[in-house]
Amino acid sequence: MKIMRRFLGAIAVIVLTASCGTARQGAKYFTMEEMPDLVKCLPAPPAFGSPEFSYDSLRYFWGKEQRKDPVRARIATRDAAWQLDTVFTTFNEAIGLELSPERTPQIWKLLYDGIKTIEQIRVHPKKYYHRLRPFVYFGEQTLCPWEDDELRGEGSYPSGHTIRGWSCALMLAEVAPERAEELYARGWMYGESRVIAGAHWQSDVDASRAAASIAYAKVNTNKEFRRQVARARAEYLKMTR
């Protein structure tokens, strides 16, 4: 009997571990090949010397001015984190909940699987255009110099961080439409953080919000995604009412 109880206990641990892993790792709703091709959807980034590029340059120096505000600089530094755990919890205040795999597993799964699907849309244009990043163009460091070496070798257009941030705002606004304004405002700020950090041009960020919306429209055609939105919404209502 003791052996059986130990065996069942071990099975329970394995199942629990597997379920937690699913919440974190999940599965993509579409492959990269099934997602829209941004090279065909969106215009190319501004050419050097164009009026649009002049605006990009002005916004780069605007971003450097924003760094003088210690509060805004801290937010931009936090927004530079690439770990999904950090990205998701950025929206805690906006949604009015502590998001985590333990406390909000359905919302977390929605965000995790959704982002893993949506962010694929950045891969092709980054390689295709391989745009020089602003801090490299101006021969300076970003606000977060520990990421500079990695960023130098990756194209600037579009912004992966902005795609993640805006996508999170879109998904969470469906989960908590009562908090949509706060969520959209935080998603917008997330993109601005990349200009403030000096890691992206303003046109990278602008295109990335459109890219996230294009990808989100595609993901919304997946029936399992819609079911997960419903589960996440039910979880939100249970925790807030």
Side-chain angles (χ1 to χ4, degrees):
M1 184 64 69
K2 289 182 178 179
I3 294 174
M4 180 59 72
R5 281 199 295 268
R6 289 175 184 174
F7 175 74
L8 292 175
I11 292 295
V13 170
I14 292 171
V15 170
L16 180 60
T17 302
S19 64
C20 291
T22 300
R24 284 181 172 272
Q25 296 176 6
K28 296 173 184 174
Y29 296 106
F30 293 104
T31 66
M32 186 167 64
E33 291 73 22
E34 292 171 323
M35 297 295 287
D37 184 352
L38 291 183
V39 174
K40 298 177 181 178
C41 298
L42 299 179
F48 293 120
S50 67
E52 293 81 7
F53 181 73
S54 296
Y55 179 66
D56 269 346
S57 299
L58 288 173
R59 290 293 287 175
Y60 175 77
F61 291 106
W62 167 85
K64 290 185 68 176
E65 284 296 309
Q66 300 306 303
R67 299 179 201 175
K68 296 177 182 178
D69 178 350
V71 175
R72 190 63 184 91
R74 282 197 297 272
I75 293 172
T77 300
R78 186 181 190 275
D79 288 350
W82 188 246
Q83 295 86 352
L84 285 178
D85 290 32
T86 307
V87 177
F88 299 161
T89 55
T90 294
F91 289 86
N92 282 358
E93 183 176 351
I95 197 172
L97 284 178
E98 180 187 335
L99 300 177
S100 70
E102 296 77 27
R103 290 179 57 82
T104 57
Q106 297 300 333
I107 298 174
W108 197 268
K109 179 173 174 56
L110 173 71
L111 293 176
Y112 197 100
D113 294 354
I115 290 298
K116 282 299 183 181
T117 304
I118 290 170
E119 69 177 359
Q120 298 175 108
I121 205 167
R122 80 188 194 280
V123 175
H124 185 205
K126 275 185 175 291
K127 291 181 178 178
Y128 185 85
Y129 295 113
H130 202 72
R131 189 184 192 190
L132 193 69
R133 290 183 182 264
F135 77 95
V136 178
Y137 179 84
F138 288 105
E140 298 180 340
Q141 289 185 328
T142 68
L143 177 64
C144 311
W146 55 86
E147 65 173 355
D148 289 5
D149 287 343
E150 183 176 355
L151 294 181
R152 281 192 187 92
E154 185 185 57
S156 187
Y157 181 92
S159 163
H161 283 78
T162 303
I163 289 173
R164 283 181 163 192
W166 194 242
S167 297
C168 282
L170 291 171
M171 284 186 277
L172 291 174
E174 283 213 66
V175 171
E178 306 91 335
R179 308 280 297 190
E181 292 172 350
E182 294 90 337
L183 291 162
Y184 291 140
R186 186 63 183 92
W188 191 272
M189 179 185 287
Y190 203 92
E192 281 194 333
S193 288
R194 301 310 286 159
V195 177
I196 293 170
H200 282 284
W201 303 100
Q202 182 65 53
S203 56
D204 298 337
V205 171
D206 294 343
S208 298
R209 294 186 183 119
S213 299
I214 289 168
Y216 191 61
K218 173 68 175 180
V219 172
N220 260 287
T221 65
N222 184 283
K223 292 181 180 179
E224 179 53 34
F225 176 79
R226 295 309 312 166
R227 284 192 283 267
Q228 189 58 40
V229 170
R231 296 182 195 110
R233 171 69 174 159
E235 181 176 75
Y236 172 79
L237 290 175
K238 182 179 180 180
M239 296 190 69
T240 56
R241 293 183 180 177

